[in-house]
Amino acid sequence: MNVGPLNYTYQKTAFTHHSSGDKKKCTPKERAIVAATSTAGIIASLAILAKKSGYSLNPAKMFKNFKKSYIATTPFLAKQIIPMGVGTCLGGLAGGFIIDKDKNDRKAKMREAVMQIGNITIPITTVDLFHRMCEKHGKLAQSVGSLAGIFTGVYLANFLMNKLSNFLFNSKNDRGVKLIDFSAHLDDLLAGASYISSDSWVHNIARIVPAVLVLPGIEVGTRKAHPHPDSH
C-alpha cells in the first residue's frame, strides 16, 4: 500500500472499537450510509463464513429454521470475529469514501481503518492464544488467561498499529494506552466467556457481537482529518 505523506496531525485515536474523540460532524444521512455499509461488510463476512462451513445462504431455508442457522449456532470466537472486524472496517471505509470526497479526510479514514483492524484482530488473537495456554489448568486459569489476553492484546495493538500506521502514512504521532481503551472490548469479553463456558446464556448473549462490531466501521467511515498546527 503506497500512501503519500499526510499534512495533518491525526486526531486522537482511542485504541477502542468506538473511540469518542471530537471530529467534524457528519450528517445523520451520512452516518446512516456508513452504518449501512459497515453492516453490509459484516453480513458479507458472515455469508462467506457460513458458506465455507456448509450452511445454506438461501433466505427461505435460513429463516425457516433460524435456530439451526450459522449465526444462531456458531460461537463467535477469533475465527469469526477477525473476518467480521475486517468486513466492518472495509465496509465503513467504503461508506466513508461515498460520503466524503476530501483527499485528506479519505486518508484519515484509511489510517483509522488500519488502526481499527489491528485493534479488533490483535486482542481477540491474544485471548485465543492465552485460552489455549490455560485450557488444561481449569476454569479459573482460563478466566484469568482471557482477561490477560485482552490487556496484552490492547497494549500490543497499540504498539504495533502505531508503528505500522506511522510507517504507512509518514507520521510520528503515537497514542499511548489509556484506561478507557479497555472499556470497548465487549466482543473480546464475550468471546473469552464463550471460550470458557458452553452455557446457553453465554452463547445467547454473544449473538450481539456482530451488532457491536458495526461501531468500528462507523468510526472508520466518519473519521476526519485535522489540520497540523504548524501548517497555519
Side-chain angles (χ1 to χ4, degrees):
M1 182 178 183
N2 186 15
V3 181
L6 301 184
N7 189 30
Y8 60 84
T9 298
Y10 186 63
Q11 170 188 352
K12 288 184 178 179
T13 304
F15 282 82
T16 65
H17 293 354
H18 46 95
S19 63
S20 58
D22 70 348
K23 47 185 173 284
K24 303 174 193 174
K25 291 183 178 180
C26 292
T27 66
K29 180 180 178 180
E30 289 172 336
R31 292 187 68 85
I33 290 172
V34 173
T37 57
S38 300
T39 301
I42 291 178
I43 292 173
S45 301
L46 284 170
I48 293 170
L49 289 168
K51 190 66 176 179
K52 289 181 67 176
S53 298
Y55 287 79
S56 172
L57 298 182
N58 186 324
K61 292 182 179 180
M62 289 171 59
F63 289 105
K64 183 179 180 180
N65 198 356
F66 184 75
K67 289 183 178 181
K68 292 185 178 181
S69 67
Y70 179 83
I71 194 170
T73 59
T74 304
F76 291 132
L77 306 177
K79 184 179 177 181
Q80 291 75 36
I81 289 176
I82 290 173
M84 283 193 288
V86 174
T88 188
C89 290
L90 294 180
L93 185 62
F97 273 45
I98 291 172
I99 67 171
D100 198 338
K101 309 302 181 184
D102 182 88
K103 182 179 179 181
N104 282 341
D105 283 348
R106 285 186 167 188
K107 287 180 179 178
K109 297 178 200 302
M110 287 189 287
R111 178 165 181 173
E112 180 69 9
V114 171
M115 294 288 193
Q116 292 289 354
I117 287 173
N119 191 49
I120 294 169
T121 60
I122 294 174
I124 191 60
T125 300
T126 55
V127 168
D128 181 78
L129 176 62
F130 279 48
H131 167 76
R132 294 176 188 276
M133 292 169 58
C134 299
E135 195 169 10
K136 297 180 180 179
H137 303 289
K139 298 293 185 182
L140 178 59
Q142 291 176 47
S143 300
V144 173
S146 293
L147 289 175
I150 293 173
F151 276 80
T152 301
V154 169
Y155 277 98
L156 187 61
N158 177 64
F159 175 78
L160 293 178
M161 302 321 292
N162 266 325
K163 297 295 182 184
L164 178 60
S165 182
N166 286 342
F167 171 76
L168 291 175
F169 296 92
N170 193 26
S171 173
K172 295 182 180 179
N173 182 38
D174 287 345
R175 198 275 195 186
V177 177
K178 296 181 180 181
L179 184 60
I180 195 173
D181 295 349
F182 298 95
S183 65
H185 287 269
L186 179 59
D187 58 331
D188 299 324
L189 289 171
L190 291 173
S194 297
Y195 276 117
I196 297 165
S197 174
S198 58
D199 290 347
S200 59
W201 69 271
V202 174
H203 174 84
N204 291 334
I205 292 175
R207 299 308 90 197
I208 70 172
V209 167
V212 171
L213 287 173
V214 173
L215 299 174
I218 294 174
E219 188 69 17
V220 170
T222 57
R223 183 61 62 180
K224 300 285 187 178
H226 284 242
H228 192 287
D230 296 332
S231 65
H232 298 294

